[in-house]
């Protein structure tokens, strides 16, 4: 990579990705199968999709802290199609937002937020919770994981149908080295998967969605290069297991 190329990527990161306007879309994904991923949530501001999220408790949705924005925040659950014209959209008010107390921006880490819904949901046929990873253990390189969301694709600006794609974890040392080449030091407590020598992964609009491995949510989509043609750096996720005590305490507090 030339010095000029590195500088251009660095400027792109500074101007696009690390200012809070970044996120993630599903690239080369397929429509999620019916009756799957019933934990997926569309986090919306003033009725428009902002980020992904996922239900981990009948009253709490987990998402990324950088998804917090002024405006009326609501959550759509129980559907793969979030078109405003769709019938019977199940929209829930957000009673309280719990950003991690140490969060400043995604670049510095702690990009995690719990949303307390205005009422406890009855989980079952249409809406389900997903378990989260609580043990600190590295993901195997060849493990097949999934990331899903309603973010933009390379072809479309707006996606109403939930898309999902397979991604593989990337070794932490390799991930840090790749980001170091574009002058970004990764924060602590992150995982990397997809977007590195691949044509699939996350890009803008899917932030806050889960990285799911073997039916367990292990990461939260945090950031990428701010573009979807996949330069040679991995996608970055908040590592959920590092925040298990904080998550437990917030839910236990009930606020």
């Amino acid at each position: 990579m030339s010095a000029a190329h590195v500088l251009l990527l660095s400027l792109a990161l500074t101007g696009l990705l690390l200012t809070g306007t970044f996120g993630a879309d599903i690239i080369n994904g397929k429509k999620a199968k019916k009756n799957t991923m019933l934990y997926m949530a569309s986090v919306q501001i003033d009725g428009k999709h902002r980020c992904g999220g996922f239900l981990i408790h009948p009253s709490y949705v987990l998402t990324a802290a950088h998804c917090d924005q002024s405006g009326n925040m609501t959550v759509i659950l129980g559907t793969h199609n979030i078109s405003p014209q769709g019938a019977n959209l199940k929209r829930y008010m957000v009673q309280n937002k719990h950003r991690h107390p140490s969060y400043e921006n995604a670049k510095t880490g702690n990009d995690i937020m719990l949303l307390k819904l205005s009422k406890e949901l009855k989980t079952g046929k249409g809406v389900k919770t997903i378990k989260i990873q609580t043990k600190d253990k590295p993901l195997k390189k060849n493990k097949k994981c999934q990331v899903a969301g309603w973010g933009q694709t390379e072809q479309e600006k707006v996606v109403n149908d939930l898309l999902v794609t397979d991604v593989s974890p990337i070794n932490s040392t390799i991930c840090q080295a790749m980001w170091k080449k574009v002058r970004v030091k990764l924060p602590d407590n992150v995982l990397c998967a997809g977007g590195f020598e691949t044509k699939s992964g996350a890009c803008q609009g899917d932030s806050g969605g889960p990285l799911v491995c073997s039916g367990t949510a292990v990461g939260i989509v945090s950031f990428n290069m701010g573009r979807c043609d996949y330069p040679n750096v991995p996608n970055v996720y908040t590592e959920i297991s590092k925040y298990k005590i904080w998550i437990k305490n917030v839910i236990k507090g009930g606020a």
Side-chain angles (χ1 to χ4, degrees):
M1 183 181 291
S2 68
H5 194 186
V6 170
L7 178 59
L8 286 172
L9 287 177
S10 179
L11 290 172
L13 283 165
T14 303
L16 295 176
L17 185 146
L18 299 175
T19 59
T21 60
F22 57 93
D25 341 327
I26 300 305
I27 304 303
N28 290 327
K30 296 180 180 179
K31 287 185 180 180
K33 293 181 180 179
K34 188 177 181 180
N35 298 322
T36 64
M37 297 188 159
L38 299 179
Y39 49 79
M40 285 297 299
S42 168
V43 178
Q44 304 199 347
I45 302 293
D46 296 331
K48 294 182 179 180
H49 176 76
R50 163 66 178 164
C51 279
F54 47 108
L55 193 70
I56 64 168
H57 178 279
S59 296
Y60 289 90
V61 166
L62 194 59
T63 186
H66 79 258
C67 295
D68 191 12
Q69 231 183 28
S70 60
N72 180 34
M73 181 177 282
T74 56
V75 173
I76 299 291
L77 285 157
T79 182
H80 283 179
N81 187 294
I82 59 169
S83 168
Q85 288 75 42
N88 302 317
L89 278 185
K90 297 177 182 178
R91 186 181 299 275
Y92 301 92
M93 302 298 294
V94 173
Q95 179 178 307
N96 208 349
K97 296 182 285 189
H98 297 272
R99 288 197 311 182
H100 192 275
S102 298
Y103 173 77
E104 294 178 359
N105 56 64
K107 181 181 177 181
T108 57
N110 303 305
D111 191 11
I112 184 170
M113 177 168 63
L114 272 167
L115 304 178
K116 171 69 179 297
L117 302 179
S118 57
K119 68 175 185 177
E120 185 170 317
L121 305 187
K122 291 183 179 180
T123 58
K125 185 177 179 180
V127 178
K128 294 183 179 179
T129 59
I130 184 172
K131 62 182 179 180
I132 60 173
Q133 180 78 294
T134 57
K135 295 182 179 179
D136 293 337
K137 56 182 180 180
L139 297 172
K140 294 181 180 179
K141 180 181 178 181
N142 59 354
K143 194 172 188 65
K144 187 171 76 172
C145 303
Q146 291 81 38
V147 60
W150 291 274
Q152 302 170 8
T153 68
E154 291 175 304
Q155 291 79 29
E156 298 182 54
K157 293 293 184 182
V158 177
V159 175
N160 289 322
D161 291 305
L162 180 67
L163 299 181
V164 58
T165 193
D166 293 335
V167 293
S168 295
I170 295 168
N171 176 273
S172 176
T173 301
I174 293 175
C175 185
Q176 294 205 24
M178 292 300 100
W179 277 97
K180 190 175 181 180
K181 286 184 178 180
V182 291
R183 301 180 185 181
V184 173
K185 183 182 184 302
L186 293 183
D188 295 331
N189 303 335
V190 297
L191 297 169
C192 301
F196 170 65
E197 297 181 345
T198 72
K199 294 183 178 179
S200 63
C203 189
Q204 275 72 24
D206 300 319
S207 295
L211 175 66
V212 178
C213 304
S214 302
T216 299
V218 301
I220 303 169
V221 180
S222 184
F223 64 87
N224 61 7
M225 283 292 295
R227 51 191 287 184
C228 301
D229 52 358
Y230 285 96
N232 209 19
V233 290
N235 296 162
V236 180
Y237 299 77
T238 302
E239 187 174 6
I240 295 173
S241 64
K242 302 295 186 183
Y243 299 92
K244 61 185 177 183
I245 295 176
W246 176 78
I247 292 170
K248 181 180 178 179
N249 288 340
V250 171
I251 293 176
K252 186 177 180 181

